[in-house]
Amino acid sequence: MVLGATAVVTVALVAAGIAVLMSLRTNLTEQAQSEANDTARRIALGVATWRGGGARLPLPEGVREGVPVQVTDAEGRLLAVGQGLESISGTGVTAVRMPRTATSPAAPSLSSSASPAPTPTPVASRDDEAADDHGGGHGRGRDRGSDDSGTDDSTADDHGTDDSATPPANDPAIGTISDTVQESSGRAVVDGRSAPYRFATIKATDLGGRTVLVHAGASLAARETAVRSTGVAMLAGLPLVLLVVGGVTWLVTRRALTPVEGIRREMAAITASEDLSRRVPEPASHDEVAQLARTTNETLTALEAAVDRQRRFVADASHELRSPIASLRTQLEVGSAHPQLLDVPGAVKDTERLQQLAADLLLLARLDAGERPGQGRVDLGKLVREEVGRRPADRTPVSVDADEGREVAGSRAQLARVIGNLLDNAQRHARAEVAMRVQRQGDRIILTVADDGGGVPAAERERIFERFVRLDDARTRDDGGAGLGLAIARDVARRHGGTLTAGEAPSGGALFELRLPVATAPARAVRYDLH
């Protein structure tokens, strides 16, 4: 269990560590890319305000040393390069949309190494150029130069910008930068050191109408260092974490399973000693282990009661069998020695008692084995009348109030046995009459058997349903019965989903009430006439 828990924690920690490293790498890469985008955008804004022209283009002031920057024209000619940059590799493959930004006076200025140039100004519209030409100011046409004969180009400016300075349709307008930036990964050698970089490439068109590509990079060395140091720290701390997890798991598991081990040891001792009166220790906690201990003790209690009941049953059965067998043997021995003294009727009576007792014991054994009754439909009122009709006429008369059609589900033979046992008990104790009634109340069929005898004391009304229990006035063998009739009747009633209780009759005698569920109506087959 400890090894399994440690293995699960190891997998979880490794997966979490990989996720953290990937997230850290992604965040640092995005940070470097954002830095490269900002640098490229700042340089491109400076280039867009440049008027100088020429084959060389100075970089804006403020570019940090060691940052790989290069500016090329559309044909790939190098116009400017960052300080210390020796080589660069990597092309943009992903276009990222950036907000369109016009040139403003706050854009970085270029420090020219050529002839002095006027201070960069925002790009004017066509109307502003026309106003400057007619107002006598220094117009845009002069900034772009004149032809060899010295003829002024202001006439062309009066009608708009010269078509030769207009950039292609897919390039940014004059004095602006592109709306998109290309992102890529590559390597650069700065001051003799090669390192990985994230690059940003953006187009810019200067005031002379020339479109250039600005490449700027941001180092990924910080990313590599952070990812490497974090990975090393995780690997170094993993064994310690696993050791702590394994130790804590072992301690917690051992503490949780200690009560279980106590239960196991006690159960082993009970099995070895066969002493079912012993009980397992119950923890003071209210967790599942405590519930297991309580359930185990309840099972032991039920098992002890079952074993005790079985022992009493065997003892009582042996006692009940011994008397008629001894009597029968005595009669046979006397008849063998003195045939004229053989009591044949007594021998037959003892044999019948043995037969009845054996049948009762066999039925109890089947009920204890869990035999379930059948699901046949039994008319209880009709069955009562049949059982009463089989009684000898010399016994206590029985009045029956039972209508037919009171059907229950179950075994006809077992229910007949219940009715017979209740009738035997009532006739044995009645003085003059026994009354039987079958009626329906809700979803129950109720059979009541009442006699006018001495009744059953309230304290004994549950005990009489125990096996081999007979009250003091029914102890003699001649009164019949072994104390199994009522026990069998209640067991059969319970197997049929009903109850059997004892009470007091209106006449003061005993009243037994059997309640059984009404038989459900069988599902009718639906017939379809296809003609």
Side-chain angles (χ1 to χ4, degrees):
M1 180 180 295
V2 175
L3 293 178
T6 304
V8 171
V9 173
T10 302
V11 173
L13 289 179
V14 170
I18 293 175
V20 169
L21 291 178
M22 293 179 63
S23 177
L24 178 62
R25 182 184 180 90
T26 301
N27 291 336
L28 292 178
T29 301
E30 292 177 353
Q31 181 179 350
Q33 186 64 60
S34 178
E35 181 181 348
N37 292 348
D38 291 342
T39 302
R41 183 172 176 272
R42 188 172 65 252
I43 296 174
L45 287 173
V47 171
T49 60
W50 172 245
R51 295 177 180 271
R56 287 295 178 178
L57 182 67
L59 295 177
E61 297 178 354
V63 177
R64 291 188 296 108
E65 183 178 355
V67 175
V69 175
Q70 71 175 6
V71 181
T72 61
D73 60 11
E75 288 74 22
R77 291 189 294 268
L78 186 64
L79 302 179
V81 65
Q83 183 177 359
L85 178 61
E86 299 178 6
S87 66
I88 185 172
S89 64
T91 59
V93 294
T94 303
V96 179
R97 195 73 179 177
M98 293 183 60
R100 185 181 181 90
T101 305
T103 311
S104 64
S109 62
L110 295 173
S111 57
S112 176
S113 59
S115 60
T119 303
T121 58
V123 179
S125 65
R126 297 176 183 265
D127 294 338
D128 293 338
E129 293 174 1
D132 288 341
D133 291 339
H134 292 288
H138 44 276
R140 295 284 298 276
R142 288 189 300 274
D143 293 335
R144 288 192 296 270
S146 58
D147 56 2
D148 296 337
S149 60
T151 305
D152 195 350
D153 294 335
S154 59
T155 305
D157 287 341
D158 290 341
H159 300 283
T161 306
D162 187 4
D163 291 340
S164 62
T166 302
N170 60 342
D171 290 339
I174 295 174
T176 62
I177 65 176
S178 176
D179 292 336
T180 59
V181 58
Q182 289 183 330
E183 298 177 350
S184 62
S185 295
R187 300 189 67 85
V189 179
V190 180
D191 295 331
R193 292 189 297 270
S194 176
Y197 284 84
R198 287 292 295 179
F199 292 103
T201 301
I202 187 170
K203 288 183 178 182
T205 303
D206 61 14
L207 297 178
R210 178 177 54 181
T211 300
V212 298
L213 296 177
V214 178
H215 308 275
S219 176
L220 294 177
R223 182 195 71 176
E224 301 299 328
T225 302
V227 171
R228 187 183 304 106
S229 59
T230 304
V232 171
M234 288 182 176
L235 291 177
L238 182 61
L240 179 60
V241 172
L242 294 180
L243 181 62
V244 172
V245 169
V248 171
T249 303
W250 183 81
L251 291 176
V252 172
T253 304
R254 180 180 178 85
R255 182 175 180 180
L257 294 181
T258 297
V260 178
E261 176 61 20
I263 295 174
R264 188 203 65 78
R265 285 198 303 266
E266 187 62 25
M267 287 296 295
I270 292 173
T271 303
S273 64
E274 299 183 356
D275 183 7
L276 296 179
S277 63
R278 300 175 61 173
R279 297 293 180 266
V280 301
E282 295 186 10
S285 60
H286 300 282
D287 54 6
E288 289 77 5
V289 177
Q291 295 177 3
L292 172 63
R294 285 190 289 270
T295 303
T296 303
N297 285 334
E298 292 172 358
T299 303
L300 289 173
T301 300
L303 182 61
E304 181 183 13
V307 171
D308 289 343
R309 184 169 61 251
Q310 189 70 19
R311 289 172 179 171
R312 290 196 305 269
F313 176 79
V314 173
D316 292 339
S318 301
H319 176 73
E320 293 293 334
L321 289 171
R322 182 177 59 183
S323 297
I325 290 175
S327 175
L328 182 60
R329 178 179 178 180
T330 300
Q331 293 182 47
L332 293 176
E333 289 177 349
V334 171
S336 178
H338 307 282
Q340 70 277 9
L341 298 178
L342 178 63
D343 183 9
V344 177
V348 172
K349 186 176 182 180
D350 286 338
T351 303
E352 291 177 349
R353 187 182 178 197
L354 281 173
Q355 182 180 6
Q356 181 65 30
L357 182 57
D360 289 345
L361 293 175
L362 180 60
L363 178 57
L364 284 174
R366 292 205 307 266
L367 293 175
D368 289 342
E371 178 180 307
R372 307 299 300 178
Q375 294 300 316
R377 299 173 68 87
V378 181
D379 189 330
L380 196 61
K382 183 178 180 181
L383 185 61
V384 168
R385 292 186 180 277
E386 292 177 357
E387 288 297 318
V388 173
R390 295 192 183 99
R391 297 280 151 169
D394 59 346
R395 301 192 67 175
T396 305
V398 180
S399 63
V400 179
D401 179 11
D403 297 332
E404 295 185 3
R406 311 299 187 186
E407 293 185 341
V408 297
S411 170
R412 182 182 181 86
Q414 292 185 9
L415 292 176
R417 186 66 175 275
V418 172
I419 296 173
N421 289 352
L422 293 178
L423 271 175
D424 288 340
N425 182 77
Q427 288 181 327
R428 187 179 301 117
H429 296 90
R431 294 189 181 96
E433 185 182 16
V434 174
M436 300 187 70
R437 183 181 181 185
V438 179
Q439 60 182 340
R440 176 172 179 171
Q441 291 184 0
D443 61 345
R444 297 282 166 171
I445 301 296
I446 302 176
L447 167 64
T448 56
V449 181
D451 62 66
D452 56 356
V456 181
E460 304 289 341
R461 289 175 184 171
E462 281 298 318
R463 197 171 72 89
I464 59 175
F465 292 105
E466 297 178 5
R467 299 175 182 181
F468 298 106
V469 171
R470 289 174 292 181
L471 300 183
D472 293 338
D473 58 353
R475 282 288 183 183
T476 61
R477 179 169 59 92
D478 294 337
D479 288 335
L484 294 177
L486 293 179
I488 291 175
R490 172 169 276 189
D491 283 350
V492 172
R494 288 176 174 173
R495 293 296 190 278
H496 284 74
T499 59
L500 178 61
T501 57
E504 184 177 355
S507 61
L511 174 66
F512 289 89
E513 184 178 84
L514 173 67
R515 290 176 172 264
L516 296 173
V518 177
T520 57
R524 294 185 177 181
V526 180
R527 300 180 61 185
Y528 297 94
D529 189 0
L530 301 179
H531 301 286

